[in-house]
Amino acid sequence: MERESQKYQDYIALLKEELVPAMGCTEPIALAYAAAYAKETLGELPTHIHASISGSIIKNVKSVIVPNTGHLKGIPAAIAAGVISGAYDKKLEVLSSLSDERQKEISDYLEKTPIEITHATGCDPFDILLTESTDAHTVTIRICGTHTNVVLLEKDGQILLRKEDQIQKPSLSSTLTLTMESIWDFVESVAIEDVREILDRQILYNTAISEEGLLGDYGANIGSVLLLTGNDIKSRAKAKAAAGSDARMNGCELPVVINSGSGNQGITCSVPVIEYAKELNSGKEKLYRALTLSNLISIHEKQGIGTLSAFCGAVSAGTGAGAGIAYLNGGDYQTIVHTVVNALAITSGIICDGAKASCAAKIAASIDAGILGYEMYQHGQEFKCGDGIVRKDAEATIKGVGIIGKYGMRETNEEIIKLMIS
């Protein structure tokens, strides 16, 4: 791919758009961002808050610890933290500057401020409608489609911003056509200086939270458990990624570089590849190319599924990781596409039942499938067209998985939400 071409520049822009830092699980952070934005517009602390939110947001906020809150959990905690922070300009790092003293304010605020939660139905899977009020003023904000896509801002009946015709905010991740072939072309031709800064931050942040997950006591400690069962490279790759999720789902305040709007997916498609590169002494250039491959494949798979679904996002990221590991081992284009198809055939049935401790275990399973998909092809084995959801090639299989995740699992998602809030 020519460096001067529009497609090349679009791929660089896509990586910059997708691989951004976030502190904490991104759905509660989106709620906190909305609350901070509304409070800034209101100009004072709200005395009453009402949140009407989609089931998929409820699912992903209900059971996760919100960072920098003193280990508070759930929807009211995320909203209150955003109000106290007020740092809406930091977007997905909105809670990063909360001091210990300000964290105490969150608990006090929750005790005295009514926060009503309504389950919104018939809306976009990613939908937050938040109203903050005092005796004198009222502000309503709506975020829809993606984590920071504000489509409505209203104060005392006056519309300050309205773009509800842009619920799906135009972005490269939603408009750029990716294919396995073009991804491979980009990975092989990219000038390292064009991706170094983006990927160095991903390596630094995601490795740091992985290490913290192994040092601390977070959730079910899946990473630590995996290391007790083995210390070979495959075990370490799964354990270190799982440990990052252990920490992130259970209140760790370290930031993560996300992928497809998800920190867990960002960890999954990067940490195993980084670990394999160390084992193989691959060198920085090969690691950069492998990470570029893993990230782009993960984004490609998520394009068809959408931001939130009943389809576990770790599956896409684990597939990307398998492809990145195959690349580090010298895999060519055919090796990569067969790794992707094999991995998708194994793990595409994992459901998303929200953000919580068990995400770490699902990450480990998805990485295991990615590695197995590669090892199968290395030994002359593959899942073939007609084997379940496997279609004629990688592109068709990815498209089919997207249809299942976006449309086929809608009813599944509703049943999961019913179980979680009953």
Side-chain angles (χ1 to χ4, degrees):
M1 191 180 293
E2 293 295 328
R3 192 178 185 185
E4 296 76 20
S5 69
Q6 186 59 52
K7 182 176 282 190
Y8 181 100
Q9 296 304 321
D10 284 345
Y11 273 50
I12 296 295
L14 175 64
L15 290 170
K16 289 179 178 178
E17 179 182 279
E18 287 288 328
L19 274 57
V20 295
M23 193 186 79
C25 179
T26 46
E27 278 69 59
I29 295 303
L31 266 176
Y33 170 69
Y37 203 140
K39 182 246 187 173
E40 177 69 18
T41 306
L42 192 65
E44 55 187 318
L45 279 177
T47 54
H48 184 274
I49 299 174
H50 179 262
S52 177
I53 51 182
S54 61
S56 289
I57 296 292
I58 293 172
K59 183 177 73 172
N60 279 337
V61 183
K62 175 179 177 290
S63 303
V64 72
I65 293 172
V66 184
N68 272 348
T69 62
H71 276 71
L72 297 176
K73 180 187 289 187
I75 296 167
I79 293 170
V83 168
I84 298 302
S85 165
Y88 77 100
D89 55 315
K90 294 188 176 182
K91 296 191 175 180
L92 294 181
E93 294 182 279
V94 60
L95 304 184
S96 62
S97 59
L98 282 169
S99 63
D100 291 344
E101 192 169 317
R102 301 217 71 202
Q103 289 178 37
K104 294 175 186 175
E105 293 180 38
I106 298 170
S107 297
D108 294 341
Y109 184 75
L110 280 168
E111 285 182 13
K112 65 184 181 183
T113 308
I115 300 178
E116 298 177 31
I117 312 297
T118 302
H119 176 195
T121 58
C123 57
D124 189 87
F126 197 113
D127 210 323
I128 297 168
L129 184 66
L130 191 69
T131 300
E132 296 182 357
S133 304
T134 64
D135 290 340
H137 302 287
T138 298
V139 168
T140 296
I141 188 170
R142 185 184 182 199
I143 291 179
C144 204
T146 56
H147 296 78
T148 57
N149 185 34
V150 179
V151 297
L152 176 68
L153 185 64
E154 178 181 330
K155 182 175 183 180
D156 298 335
Q158 180 181 356
I159 301 297
L160 305 180
L161 181 154
R162 183 193 290 277
K163 51 176 182 175
E164 290 177 292
D165 58 335
Q166 294 183 28
I167 285 176
Q168 293 301 331
K169 183 180 179 180
S171 64
L172 280 168
S173 59
S174 62
T175 58
L176 184 61
T177 300
L178 297 176
T179 66
M180 290 297 296
E181 191 172 350
S182 64
I183 289 171
W184 177 259
D185 185 14
F186 178 76
V187 167
E188 287 285 88
S189 59
V190 65
I192 296 303
E193 58 265 34
D194 290 340
V195 295
R196 181 181 284 111
E197 184 178 354
I198 307 166
L199 297 178
D200 275 345
R201 184 171 59 185
Q202 186 178 53
I203 293 166
L204 179 66
Y205 284 21
N206 295 4
T207 298
I209 199 166
S210 166
E211 291 171 352
E212 173 60 24
L214 290 173
L215 290 170
D217 181 11
Y218 293 100
N221 292 301
I222 300 300
S224 299
V225 170
L226 284 167
L227 283 185
L228 292 173
T229 65
N231 198 37
D232 59 291
I233 179 56
K234 189 189 297 186
S235 298
R236 293 199 307 275
K238 294 186 291 183
K240 292 196 173 184
S245 179
D246 286 329
R248 182 173 172 273
M249 293 290 94
N250 294 281
C252 179
E253 292 154 10
L254 292 174
V256 169
V257 169
I258 66 177
N259 180 294
S260 302
S262 164
N264 276 345
Q265 289 168 55
I267 291 167
T268 305
C269 69
S270 61
V271 173
V273 179
I274 296 164
E275 194 63 22
Y276 263 85
K278 292 177 189 173
E279 175 75 9
L280 298 169
N281 294 311
S282 300
K284 266 301 186 66
E285 178 173 339
K286 194 151 192 176
L287 171 58
Y288 288 138
R289 295 190 190 278
L291 284 172
T292 300
L293 179 68
S294 178
N295 278 294
L296 287 174
I297 287 175
S298 301
I299 294 166
H300 182 26
E301 292 178 45
K302 279 292 288 182
Q303 278 184 320
I305 297 168
T307 306
L308 296 179
S309 166
F311 187 100
C312 177
V315 171
S316 301
T319 303
I325 290 165
Y327 185 88
L328 290 173
N329 279 281
D332 60 9
Y333 177 68
Q334 287 304 316
T335 304
I336 302 306
V337 295
H338 281 89
T339 296
V340 167
V341 171
N342 288 340
L344 288 175
I346 297 167
T347 50
S348 286
I350 299 180
I351 63 166
C352 172
D353 54 342
K356 70 287 178 224
S358 66
C359 290
K362 296 182 181 187
I363 284 171
S366 297
I367 294 165
D368 188 72
I371 296 170
L372 177 57
Y374 165 61
E375 291 175 338
M376 283 175 60
Y377 188 68
Q378 285 296 97
H379 290 87
Q381 303 299 320
E382 62 179 303
F383 297 118
K384 298 180 179 178
C385 181
D387 289 346
I389 62 168
V390 175
R391 301 176 77 189
K392 64 179 181 178
D393 56 26
E395 217 57 66
T397 302
I398 290 170
K399 184 176 180 180
V401 168
I403 292 168
I404 293 168
K406 187 168 187 175
Y407 303 107
M409 298 184 79
R410 281 180 175 172
E411 188 172 340
T412 301
N413 200 45
E414 291 305 312
E415 293 302 320
I416 291 168
I417 292 162
K418 285 177 188 176
L419 283 172
M420 291 181 66
I421 65 177
S422 64

